[in-house]
Amino acid sequence: MKLNRRQRAAIPFLLTTGGIPEAAAASGVAETTLRTWLRDPDFAAVIDGLLDEGIKEAVQRIGIELGKLGPIAVKKLGEMLQKERLDDETTLRAINSTLDRLTKIAALRSSHRIGADDV
């Protein structure tokens, strides 16, 4: 689909503001017009493609940063858990937090078809 100038100008606002009313106000396009464009399968496909691309890039960047911080965090967590002054509740919270984050990363990978080599 070839987008017109107004559609191309509205896209950054659709992708970065809190919603359609905000995007309309920021882009100078009527809210009803934006809603009409978003019902158009071709325009919606452009927006969806850009969102998917942005999500994949964000997941990759997070993965890179986690790759850098992961070994440091694991070492520090191990040191903290070995100290006798940590109570069972604190230890359990640390373990649960770690497992929760790992589960979320796995879910992001599977939902965006990102393999271990990509992150």
Side-chain angles (χ1 to χ4, degrees), residues 1-38:
M1 168 188 192
K2 183 170 180 168
L3 303 179
N4 66 44
R5 180 188 57 78
R6 290 177 63 218
Q7 289 172 319
R8 287 191 310 271
I11 287 174
F13 299 106
L14 283 166
L15 297 175
T16 60
T17 60
I20 294 172
E22 294 84 359
S27 67
V29 174
E31 186 176 335
T32 55
T33 301
L34 284 181
R35 289 184 189 282
T36 299
W37 290 346
L38 288 167

Side-chain angles (χ1 to χ4, degrees), residues 33-58:
T33 301
L34 284 181
R35 289 184 189 282
T36 299
W37 290 346
L38 288 167
R39 283 191 298 271
D40 178 286
D42 292 331
F43 185 79
V46 170
I47 298 296
D48 288 345
L50 291 170
L51 285 171
D52 287 346
E53 186 178 306
I55 290 168
K56 183 175 180 178
E57 182 178 333

